[in-house]
Amino acid sequence: MTFSVFKNHLIINLPKLQRAIPVDPVDDDLSTCSTYDDGDAADPEDYRQPKRPHWENKVQFVLACIGYSVGLGNVWRFPYLCYKSGGGVFLVPYFLILIVCGVPLLYMELAIGQFTRRGPIGALGQMCPLLKGAGLSSVVISFLMSTYHNVIIAYAIYYFFTAFKTDQPWSDCDNLWNTERCWSAALNKENRSTFTMSKTPSEEFFDNKVLQISEGIEHPGIVRWELAACLVTAWVMVYFSIWKSIKSSGKVRYLTATLPFFLIIVVLFRAITLEGAEKGLQFFFKVEWYRLLDSKVWVHAAAQIFNSVGVGFGTMICFASYNKFHNNIFLDTLSVSLIDAFTSLLVGIFTFATIGNIAYEQNTSVQAVLTDGPGLVFVVYPEALAKMPASQIWAVLFFFMLVCLSLNSQFAIVEVVVTSIQDGFPNYVKRHLLSHEMLVLLVCVVSFLLGLPNVTQGGIYFFQLIDHYSASISIMFIIFFEVIAVSWFYGVGRFSNNIKEMFGRVPSIYFRFCWLIASPLLIMAVWVFSLIDYEPPTYHKGEYKYPWWAEAVGWGIASLSLVCIPAFAVYVLIQAEGKTFSEKLKSSLKPHFEACSICGQEYCSEPLHSFEEELLKEPIHEMNSLIQTNSNYPTTKIQNQ
């Protein structure tokens, strides 16, 4: 009997087959395969994953993705890169890259994580062993970010407690840390003229009081004990939020991922009513089309999309790995992308309206007000808060919002590191660290110690250096190889079938086109231009230039993630089966799981039972008797085949 005839007879007699065997519910975590076994987890060649916890509900997963996407990147990096790109023209490449790269790649990462149920290293290693290093690179970047990103939370905690004072210390020039250069609009209501080197009270508070900033990275100075204490507090908050994995962090996000939106809307309405706000909004929305010919505008837009949406860092893969197998991630992708973009616009309006007010009061340009680094958050925003009625209450709420936004991103950054270690070395973690909680504690302690240089008197220079090289230059390189691994080596067609297996339909031709052609070309073009137009990092609007050895350190930091891809590729090639190079290359590109020859599904890859082989040979009228005498035969297998 031919297979097609057998298949037709099987479809006709499927009700009889189902009645012949009691139907057991299918465990969603096991996909459509009945061969799940925890004992196989230690086998690195086996695609099956130890049973993972699931999000309690879909809301927790979406909030986790939104909380990671909508963070300091929207509040700090988006307005600054918009300013560096010349204002409103930045929005054009921003939304173009969001459509061509941001949304399709987010969809791809969520699908990868949900299908493989692994972190970034294990997921890419299963689909394309040769480029498993791309997953390792994303984890390395996340780890580097965890060491300095929590410093922002430490700043926010410092400001949060300071905001409880009746007199806001960043609102006037009558403090011990103020200098003769301090200029306050409140004290100069009639005369709005300022001298060239003047500073606002909030700027002097941040530089002279909070940071006690030194002359440069070559003068690290002493550790700021107040900031170090806030950093400890931040890490304690992170630890107790994720120590039970998604069971604890999912509940925390109900607060941390929703409250910031309410506060952003409230301060937005206040900002647009400030005098001179239209001056900043005009800069934000005015499009100077000739600037589109400047490659830096495209590089900045791409860097912002990847940092804000969160692709390339392994976090979205990690989050999706805790989903149920048949969850529809298409709607999740659209929700996260649209909310992230909309929030960036709201924050941009709020920021530039505030900057316009400060520029009006100081009788200067919008460009002269903006500052780089986290100073935008801790200099410009406190200036606006000081002008609000009941400024003390709003300052407390605003900095609490910053803590929430920062924690959302930090949860995700640390979680992807922990998940990757747990997936890669399950036996070692179980044997030496005894529990998941001890692994989280170890990661937090190591990240805290490596982050201490950021809270010295010269720490802000180190912060700016590591952020420049890890968050901009490295990430596009990693994303390019991730797309190549999935769409070219693993195959867009095969990947589309995997998505169909999860929730019943293949991705649209638009997504497949972006994965295969548009996204790789655009990413490579932007990355090449970023190297051609490379500019060394600076601080304080170019006033401070880093010494040559600091740039060397920066490139060393970038290489920690970049070198993982070629180094791991060489290692995989050496270890691959085969005698010749071509045989080894073919073996290293072969996924660790194969689609079933009968049903075409990836998670139905075990050899046919002897019963199945006998079933294929017998006439259709004898199937029922065969099934009845083999009642232990897995029903789900029959349904699939």
Side-chain angles (χ1 to χ4, degrees), residues 516-580:
L516 189 63
I517 299 174
S519 294
L521 287 179
L522 184 57
I523 294 169
M524 177 53 66
V526 171
W527 188 69
V528 169
F529 279 119
S530 70
L531 295 181
I532 294 174
D533 295 333
Y534 166 77
E535 291 181 352
T538 60
Y539 184 68
H540 211 282
K541 293 181 280 192
E543 292 181 10
Y544 175 78
K545 299 185 183 301
Y546 285 84
W548 67 267
W549 59 265
E551 286 189 57
V553 170
W555 281 110
I557 292 171
S559 67
L560 289 176
S561 58
L562 298 181
V563 76
C564 294
I565 298 175
F568 217 93
V570 172
Y571 172 77
V572 171
L573 276 173
I574 294 174
Q575 297 294 322
E577 296 179 357
K579 297 180 180 180
T580 65

Side-chain angles (χ1 to χ4, degrees), residues 95 165 179 225 309 320 469 491 517 575 630 638:
F95 282 102
K165 293 184 177 180
T179 66
W225 68 267
V309 176
Y469 284 98
I517 299 174
Q575 297 294 322
N630 290 271
I638 295 176

Side-chain angles (χ1 to χ4, degrees), residues 57-311:
N57 51 62
K58 192 178 183 70
V59 174
Q60 285 191 3
F61 168 66
V62 175
L63 285 179
C65 294
I66 292 174
Y68 177 63
S69 298
V70 180
L72 284 176
N74 304 78
V75 178
W76 150 39
R77 200 185 303 274
F78 177 84
Y80 176 63
L81 291 179
C82 186
Y83 147 71
K84 286 190 70 175
S85 303
V89 70
F90 176 78
L91 299 177
V92 177
Y94 175 82
F95 282 102
L96 180 61
I97 296 175
L98 176 66
I99 294 172
V100 176
C101 288
V103 176
L105 295 186
L106 177 60
Y107 188 29
M108 184 186 76
E109 287 205 346
L110 293 180
I112 291 172
Q114 184 168 302
F115 182 75
T116 62
R117 299 192 297 280
R118 286 177 179 255
I121 302 176
L124 291 177
Q126 296 296 318
M127 303 179 83
C128 180
L130 183 67
L131 293 180
K132 185 177 182 178
L136 180 60
S137 294
S138 65
V139 176
V140 171
I141 280 196
S142 292
F143 177 72
L144 291 173
M145 288 188 67
S146 73
T147 63
Y148 75 88
H149 187 272
N150 228 20
V151 175
I152 300 292
I153 307 179
Y155 292 159
I157 292 174
Y158 185 96
Y159 272 79
F160 173 73
F161 286 110
T162 305
F164 281 97
K165 293 184 177 180
T166 305
D167 297 324
Q168 306 294 291
W170 50 76
S171 60
D172 57 60
C173 297
D174 300 328
N175 303 286
L176 296 176
W177 56 83
N178 293 125
T179 66
E180 295 179 354
R181 296 171 60 185
C182 185
W183 185 93
S184 172
L187 301 176
N188 298 271
K189 294 181 180 179
E190 297 181 358
N191 181 15
R192 289 177 33 245
S193 61
T194 63
F195 55 93
T196 307
M197 301 298 292
S198 64
K199 286 188 172 184
T200 62
S202 60
E203 188 176 3
E204 290 211 335
F205 176 77
F206 183 65
D207 286 345
N208 302 339
K209 172 60 178 174
V210 179
L211 301 180
Q212 295 184 11
I213 191 169
S214 67
E215 297 176 357
I217 194 171
E218 59 270 37
H219 303 287
I222 61 173
V223 173
R224 293 279 295 110
W225 68 267
E226 298 101 323
L227 293 181
C230 292
L231 186 61
V232 171
T233 304
W235 276 113
V236 169
M237 294 169 67
V238 169
Y239 174 73
F240 283 107
S241 295
I242 68 171
W243 70 323
K244 295 291 185 182
S245 188
I246 61 172
K247 291 185 178 180
S248 54
S249 62
K251 293 181 174 63
V252 173
R253 287 188 177 96
Y254 282 120
L255 173 67
T256 59
T258 55
L259 180 62
F261 288 98
F262 168 74
L263 296 175
I264 286 173
I265 292 173
V266 171
V267 296
L268 168 67
F269 280 107
R270 172 55 183 165
I272 60 179
T273 60
L274 293 172
E275 196 171 12
E278 66 280 358
K279 188 175 182 180
L281 294 177
Q282 183 180 8
F283 178 85
F284 181 52
F285 287 110
K286 183 180 179 181
V287 178
E288 297 175 341
W289 295 102
Y290 71 91
R291 290 183 178 271
L292 288 176
L293 300 176
D294 185 358
S295 62
K296 293 185 180 65
V297 177
W298 294 85
V299 172
H300 293 157
Q304 173 58 23
I305 287 295
F306 298 145
N307 278 275
S308 183
V309 176
V311 294

